[in-house]
Amino acid sequence: MDERDAFRAFATSEDATQSQRHIKPIHWYVACRLVVEGGFLPEDITPRPPLAVDPRSGRLRYEPDAATGGERTILGGLKTKDIDVTVLKPGLGPVLAVSCKGAIKAFRNLTNRLEEAVGDCTNIHITYPALVAGYLFAFRANRQAAAVAEEGAVAGASPRRQLAANDIAVGRGGAPVEAVLRFHHALSELSGRRSIRDDVSRYESVALTLVEPEGHEAGGVLEGFPPPDSRILLRDFFSTLYLRYDERFVYGAPDLKSVTRRRFWTEDSPAWTAGPGGLPDRPAGYDPRIAEPMDDEAPSPP
């Protein structure tokens, strides 16, 4: 649920990358945020987050037994594809999808990541041109060993194993290395798809972030990169997804609004309380989608 916890698990994991354990917490974070902030129904999302909606009152509650893992397999134009987080609307198919990727070392392989990103986006947009596609990429902000030792004396960071030159993301001066800068530029060119007639190889929204791996700052996002004028800032990622979704599936198709509109949750939902059905931790870094019941935007049964 919490961004910091999800990124901390990614940044400090010692599991092999093949296991996907370092990235799974980010999947769950995205899925939960799409409900709490985005107003999507939990049952429409894969993996199904540990949340449920009362069919009578529309109140949101924490329901750990409702959670189910896995990825949804999407029929692409070239091949089927397992998507990390997917929103599927009955009768319409997949309407929003987020790919969550990360690199903890071996940054020399970033070209392969770009080719994969372009191919996956093209593949799903061929079959579903209206689908809103997001791409969230996190780097572990590895520093040169000397810099880590110096910072550890101040921040209480634990010693880390020696890193190869290709595993370094942040140089001694605190700026990202050239490989990361090039990757940022390339990803920026893959973002910003607005219309279903636009280039199918571009994502509707892209975010890039460097995550601190050491000490008390572990899980925090590196300040200052991407720069404030970047097109792929994490702070804009979700709001852009929601905007593109509403443009296509709500405002652009008013006859389907009863199915496609995003829900507002009530102020008295159990999710916001400390009692039964309350979230273990209040959302951090974003606000729940709460509003007073008004007209056709009132919380309603799924």
Side-chain angles (χ1 to χ4, degrees):
M1 179 62 67
D2 183 79
E3 176 183 294
R4 183 68 172 262
D5 290 341
F7 282 147
R8 183 185 296 112
F10 162 77
T12 61
S13 174
E14 296 295 335
D15 292 316
T17 55
Q18 292 84 352
S19 72
Q20 294 290 297
R21 291 179 182 173
H22 67 299
I23 203 73
K24 289 294 185 183
I26 298 180
H27 297 178
W28 284 108
Y29 160 68
V30 171
C32 289
R33 184 163 175 173
L34 289 176
V35 176
V36 175
E37 178 195 55
F40 292 99
L41 296 173
E43 56 266 34
D44 290 346
I45 300 175
T46 304
R48 164 70 187 262
L51 297 161
V53 182
D54 185 281
R56 285 173 165 253
S57 66
R59 293 184 176 93
L60 184 69
R61 70 179 186 274
Y62 176 62
E63 189 68 60
D65 292 339
T68 56
E71 301 171 338
R72 183 173 292 278
T73 302
I74 300 298
L75 175 64
L78 305 174
K79 62 178 181 178
T80 59
K81 175 63 181 176
D82 293 337
I83 305 295
D84 297 322
V85 183
T86 309
V87 178
L88 185 145
K89 287 294 182 181
L92 295 177
V95 295
L96 188 149
V98 178
S99 293
C100 306
K101 306 300 179 185
I104 61 176
K105 61 178 183 176
F107 300 146
R108 64 184 178 277
N109 296 326
L110 293 178
T111 299
N112 295 339
R113 297 299 188 99
L114 286 171
E115 293 175 351
E116 179 187 66
V118 172
D120 289 348
C121 185
T122 303
N123 183 39
I124 60 175
H125 272 151
I126 288 175
T127 302
Y128 300 103
L131 181 142
V132 178
Y135 187 79
L136 172 58
F137 196 96
F139 278 107
R140 183 182 286 181
N142 299 326
R143 290 172 169 79
Q144 294 179 2
V148 170
E150 292 168 4
E151 293 168 6
V154 177
S158 58
R160 300 190 62 195
R161 64 185 182 280
Q162 287 284 342
L163 294 168
N166 287 319
D167 298 337
I168 301 300
V170 181
R172 285 186 59 86
V177 298
E178 184 177 348
V180 174
L181 294 175
R182 289 199 304 268
F183 191 69
H184 169 267
H185 175 73
L187 275 189
S188 297
E189 296 301 311
L190 294 184
S191 185
R193 184 173 185 259
R194 296 180 60 91
S195 166
I196 62 174
R197 290 176 290 277
D198 285 349
D199 187 349
V200 295
S201 68
R202 293 166 69 97
Y203 290 87
E204 277 67 18
S205 187
V206 174
L208 175 66
T209 187
L210 271 70
V211 183
E212 296 283 3
E214 296 289 340
H216 303 304
E217 297 300 319
V221 173
L222 183 70
E223 296 292 335
F225 185 83
D229 59 348
S230 173
R231 297 168 55 190
I232 56 174
L233 291 169
L234 180 61
R235 72 182 186 202
D236 301 325
F237 180 71
F238 288 94
S239 60
T240 302
L241 290 177
Y242 304 146
L243 177 59
R244 296 285 92 83
Y245 173 83
D246 286 344
E247 288 173 347
R248 293 178 196 173
F249 294 99
V250 182
Y251 309 138
D255 292 344
L256 297 175
K257 190 175 181 180
S258 62
V259 175
T260 59
R261 67 185 176 87
R262 298 185 292 124
R263 267 50 175 186
F264 283 100
W265 311 120
T266 59
E267 190 82 53
D268 61 349
S269 287
W272 326 131
T273 70
L279 294 167
D281 299 296
R282 288 298 299 262
Y286 63 95
D287 296 320
R289 185 174 166 84
I290 297 174
E292 292 295 326
M294 293 178 60
D295 303 326
D296 64 343
E297 291 193 334
S300 59

Short mmCIF file of all heavy atoms in Angstrom, two decimals, residues 141-151 160-165 167-175 177:
data_model
loop_
_atom_site.label_atom_id
_atom_site.label_comp_id
_atom_site.label_asym_id
_atom_site.label_seq_id
_atom_site.Cartn_x
_atom_site.Cartn_y
_atom_site.Cartn_z
N ALA A 141 19.65 2.83 -6.70
CA ALA A 141 20.63 3.92 -6.82
C ALA A 141 21.98 3.50 -6.23
O ALA A 141 22.46 4.09 -5.25
CB ALA A 141 20.09 5.17 -6.14
N ASN A 142 22.60 2.51 -6.85
CA ASN A 142 23.93 2.06 -6.41
C ASN A 142 24.95 3.17 -6.59
O ASN A 142 24.98 3.84 -7.62
CB ASN A 142 24.37 0.83 -7.22
CG ASN A 142 23.42 -0.34 -7.06
OD1 ASN A 142 22.85 -0.54 -5.99
ND2 ASN A 142 23.26 -1.12 -8.11
N ARG A 143 25.80 3.33 -5.58
CA ARG A 143 26.87 4.32 -5.65
C ARG A 143 28.22 3.64 -5.64
O ARG A 143 28.34 2.48 -5.26
CB ARG A 143 26.78 5.28 -4.46
CG ARG A 143 25.58 6.23 -4.52
CD ARG A 143 25.44 7.00 -3.23
NE ARG A 143 24.48 8.09 -3.34
CZ ARG A 143 23.17 7.94 -3.28
NH1 ARG A 143 22.66 6.73 -3.12
NH2 ARG A 143 22.37 8.98 -3.38
N GLN A 144 29.24 4.39 -6.06
CA GLN A 144 30.59 3.87 -6.00
C GLN A 144 30.95 3.51 -4.57
O GLN A 144 30.52 4.16 -3.62
CB GLN A 144 31.57 4.89 -6.55
CG GLN A 144 31.37 5.15 -8.04
CD GLN A 144 32.35 6.18 -8.58
OE1 GLN A 144 33.19 6.69 -7.86
NE2 GLN A 144 32.21 6.49 -9.86
N ALA A 145 31.76 2.46 -4.38
CA ALA A 145 32.04 1.93 -3.05
C ALA A 145 32.59 3.00 -2.11
O ALA A 145 32.21 3.08 -0.95
CB ALA A 145 33.03 0.77 -3.15
N ALA A 146 33.46 3.86 -2.61
CA ALA A 146 34.04 4.89 -1.75
C ALA A 146 32.98 5.86 -1.26
O ALA A 146 32.96 6.27 -0.11
CB ALA A 146 35.13 5.65 -2.51
N ALA A 147 32.06 6.21 -2.16
CA ALA A 147 31.00 7.13 -1.78
C ALA A 147 30.06 6.50 -0.76
O ALA A 147 29.60 7.15 0.17
CB ALA A 147 30.22 7.57 -3.03
N VAL A 148 29.79 5.20 -0.93
CA VAL A 148 28.92 4.49 0.01
C VAL A 148 29.54 4.48 1.40
O VAL A 148 28.88 4.69 2.40
CB VAL A 148 28.64 3.05 -0.47
CG1 VAL A 148 27.95 2.25 0.63
CG2 VAL A 148 27.80 3.06 -1.73
N ALA A 149 30.86 4.24 1.47
CA ALA A 149 31.54 4.20 2.76
C ALA A 149 31.48 5.56 3.45
O ALA A 149 31.25 5.65 4.65
CB ALA A 149 32.99 3.77 2.56
N GLU A 150 31.68 6.62 2.68
CA GLU A 150 31.64 7.97 3.25
C GLU A 150 30.25 8.30 3.79
O GLU A 150 30.09 8.83 4.88
CB GLU A 150 32.05 8.99 2.19
CG GLU A 150 33.52 8.89 1.81
CD GLU A 150 33.83 9.71 0.57
OE1 GLU A 150 32.90 10.40 0.08
OE2 GLU A 150 34.97 9.66 0.08
N GLU A 151 29.21 7.96 2.99
CA GLU A 151 27.85 8.25 3.42
C GLU A 151 27.43 7.38 4.59
O GLU A 151 26.67 7.79 5.45
CB GLU A 151 26.89 8.06 2.25
CG GLU A 151 27.12 9.08 1.14
CD GLU A 151 26.37 8.72 -0.12
OE1 GLU A 151 25.60 7.75 -0.06
OE2 GLU A 151 26.55 9.40 -1.13
N ARG A 160 28.37 -2.64 1.96
CA ARG A 160 27.83 -3.43 0.86
C ARG A 160 28.96 -4.05 0.08
O ARG A 160 30.10 -3.62 0.14
CB ARG A 160 26.98 -2.56 -0.07
CG ARG A 160 25.79 -1.90 0.64
CD ARG A 160 24.87 -1.27 -0.38
NE ARG A 160 24.32 -2.30 -1.25
CZ ARG A 160 23.72 -2.04 -2.41
NH1 ARG A 160 23.64 -0.80 -2.84
NH2 ARG A 160 23.22 -3.01 -3.14
N ARG A 161 28.60 -5.10 -0.68
CA ARG A 161 29.62 -5.75 -1.49
C ARG A 161 30.11 -4.81 -2.58
O ARG A 161 29.42 -3.87 -2.95
CB ARG A 161 29.02 -7.01 -2.13
CG ARG A 161 27.89 -6.70 -3.10
CD ARG A 161 27.27 -8.00 -3.61
NE ARG A 161 26.24 -7.75 -4.57
CZ ARG A 161 25.01 -7.38 -4.28
NH1 ARG A 161 24.66 -7.21 -3.02
NH2 ARG A 161 24.11 -7.18 -5.22
N GLN A 162 31.29 -5.07 -3.07
CA GLN A 162 31.84 -4.27 -4.15
C GLN A 162 30.95 -4.38 -5.39
O GLN A 162 30.43 -5.45 -5.71
CB GLN A 162 33.25 -4.76 -4.51
CG GLN A 162 34.30 -4.41 -3.47
CD GLN A 162 34.69 -2.93 -3.54
OE1 GLN A 162 34.44 -2.28 -4.54
NE2 GLN A 162 35.28 -2.43 -2.49
N LEU A 163 30.75 -3.28 -6.06
CA LEU A 163 29.92 -3.25 -7.26
C LEU A 163 30.81 -3.06 -8.48
O LEU A 163 31.77 -2.29 -8.44
CB LEU A 163 28.91 -2.12 -7.18
CG LEU A 163 27.84 -2.24 -6.09
CD1 LEU A 163 27.10 -0.91 -5.94
CD2 LEU A 163 26.87 -3.36 -6.40
N ALA A 164 30.47 -3.74 -9.54
CA ALA A 164 31.18 -3.56 -10.79
C ALA A 164 30.84 -2.19 -11.37
O ALA A 164 29.83 -1.58 -11.02
CB ALA A 164 30.80 -4.66 -11.78
N ALA A 165 31.69 -1.74 -12.28
CA ALA A 165 31.48 -0.41 -12.88
C ALA A 165 30.11 -0.31 -13.54
O ALA A 165 29.45 0.73 -13.47
CB ALA A 165 32.58 -0.13 -13.89
N ASP A 167 27.45 -1.63 -12.59
CA ASP A 167 26.37 -1.69 -11.60
C ASP A 167 26.12 -0.35 -10.92
O ASP A 167 25.22 -0.23 -10.09
CB ASP A 167 26.70 -2.73 -10.51
CG ASP A 167 26.83 -4.14 -11.07
OD1 ASP A 167 26.28 -4.40 -12.14
OD2 ASP A 167 27.50 -4.96 -10.42
N ILE A 168 26.93 0.65 -11.23
CA ILE A 168 26.83 1.95 -10.58
C ILE A 168 25.78 2.81 -11.28
O ILE A 168 25.80 2.98 -12.49
CB ILE A 168 28.19 2.67 -10.59
CG1 ILE A 168 29.25 1.83 -9.88
CG2 ILE A 168 28.07 4.04 -9.95
CD1 ILE A 168 28.93 1.55 -8.43
N ALA A 169 24.86 3.37 -10.50
CA ALA A 169 23.84 4.26 -11.05
C ALA A 169 24.10 5.72 -10.73
O ALA A 169 23.69 6.61 -11.47
CB ALA A 169 22.45 3.86 -10.53
N VAL A 170 24.79 5.98 -9.60
CA VAL A 170 25.04 7.34 -9.14
C VAL A 170 26.54 7.52 -8.92
O VAL A 170 27.16 6.74 -8.19
CB VAL A 170 24.28 7.64 -7.83
CG1 VAL A 170 24.54 9.08 -7.38
CG2 VAL A 170 22.79 7.41 -8.02
N GLY A 171 27.11 8.54 -9.56
CA GLY A 171 28.55 8.79 -9.45
C GLY A 171 28.92 9.46 -8.14
O GLY A 171 28.07 9.78 -7.30
N ARG A 172 30.21 9.70 -7.95
CA ARG A 172 30.71 10.27 -6.70
C ARG A 172 30.14 11.67 -6.44
O ARG A 172 29.96 12.06 -5.29
CB ARG A 172 32.23 10.33 -6.73
CG ARG A 172 32.91 8.98 -6.52
CD ARG A 172 34.42 9.15 -6.41
NE ARG A 172 34.78 10.03 -5.30
CZ ARG A 172 34.94 9.61 -4.04
NH1 ARG A 172 34.71 8.36 -3.72
NH2 ARG A 172 35.28 10.47 -3.09
N GLY A 173 29.85 12.40 -7.49
CA GLY A 173 29.31 13.74 -7.30
C GLY A 173 27.83 13.77 -6.98
O GLY A 173 27.27 14.84 -6.74
N GLY A 174 27.18 12.61 -6.99
CA GLY A 174 25.76 12.54 -6.69
C GLY A 174 24.85 12.58 -7.89
O GLY A 174 23.63 12.50 -7.75
N ALA A 175 25.42 12.70 -9.10
CA ALA A 175 24.62 12.74 -10.31
C ALA A 175 24.53 11.35 -10.93
O ALA A 175 25.48 10.56 -10.82
CB ALA A 175 25.22 13.72 -11.32
N VAL A 177 24.83 8.34 -13.53
CA VAL A 177 25.86 8.07 -14.53
C VAL A 177 25.27 8.21 -15.93
O VAL A 177 24.04 8.28 -16.11
CB VAL A 177 26.45 6.66 -14.33
CG1 VAL A 177 27.12 6.55 -12.97
CG2 VAL A 177 25.38 5.59 -14.49
#
